[in-house]
Amino acid sequence: MLRICRRDRALLECLAKYQILSTAQIRTLLFQKSDFPTVLRRLRQLRNANLIKSIGGLRYGSHAWFLSMKGASLIEGGKPWQFRNRNTLEHDLAVVELRLALEKAGY
């Protein structure tokens, strides 16, 4: 059984807030001091515990991550992301990137 740490809970809350995040966005938000393989290992563990889900096939072999029903049930107000269309994933992630930049700038 996977033990959920504070950073895991923060990840679930970020996924609830933004709906979908790329691996790079997750690393920037929560794993600044960790190397990329460490980030991927933890994301895979959370996926294997059915707390998050992933979609592959993005540019440069990247993945997008979102809440599962089980993960959403662990946090208040969490809703799983409804998969829409693989063709819009890059756009969805670009919108999240813009939102992150605006939040960082204080908007």
Side-chain angles (χ1 to χ4, degrees):
M1 177 147 180
L2 183 67
R3 183 171 160 249
I4 305 301
C5 66
R6 191 176 320 135
R7 184 169 55 188
D8 297 333
R9 186 166 295 281
L11 171 60
L12 296 177
E13 290 170 358
C14 282
L15 288 172
K17 180 178 180 180
Y18 299 110
Q19 296 292 300
I20 187 167
L21 292 167
S22 68
T23 306
Q25 290 167 334
I26 290 171
R27 184 176 184 210
T28 299
L29 288 170
L30 300 164
F31 291 83
Q32 298 91 355
K33 296 180 181 178
S34 300
D35 60 359
F36 213 69
T38 301
V39 177
L40 289 174
R41 183 175 32 245
R42 190 58 180 176
L43 290 172
R44 282 193 303 266
Q45 289 171 344
L46 292 168
R47 182 183 60 201
N48 292 341
N50 199 30
L51 296 174
I52 61 175
K53 293 184 177 187
S54 67
I55 301 171
L58 299 175
R59 196 177 322 169
Y60 310 117
S62 184
H63 284 77
W65 303 86
F66 55 98
L67 278 178
S68 68
M69 289 292 284
K70 184 178 177 183
S73 70
L74 291 179
I75 57 172
E76 188 176 327
K79 292 186 216 172
W81 183 69
Q82 297 297 317
F83 179 72
R84 294 176 188 94
N85 184 340
R86 182 175 296 278
N87 296 323
T88 66
L89 285 177
E90 296 284 348
H91 173 266
D92 295 340
L93 292 171
V95 169
V96 171
E97 191 66 34
L98 175 62
R99 181 177 176 188
L100 291 169
L102 289 171
E103 288 176 355
K104 186 175 180 180
Y107 291 99

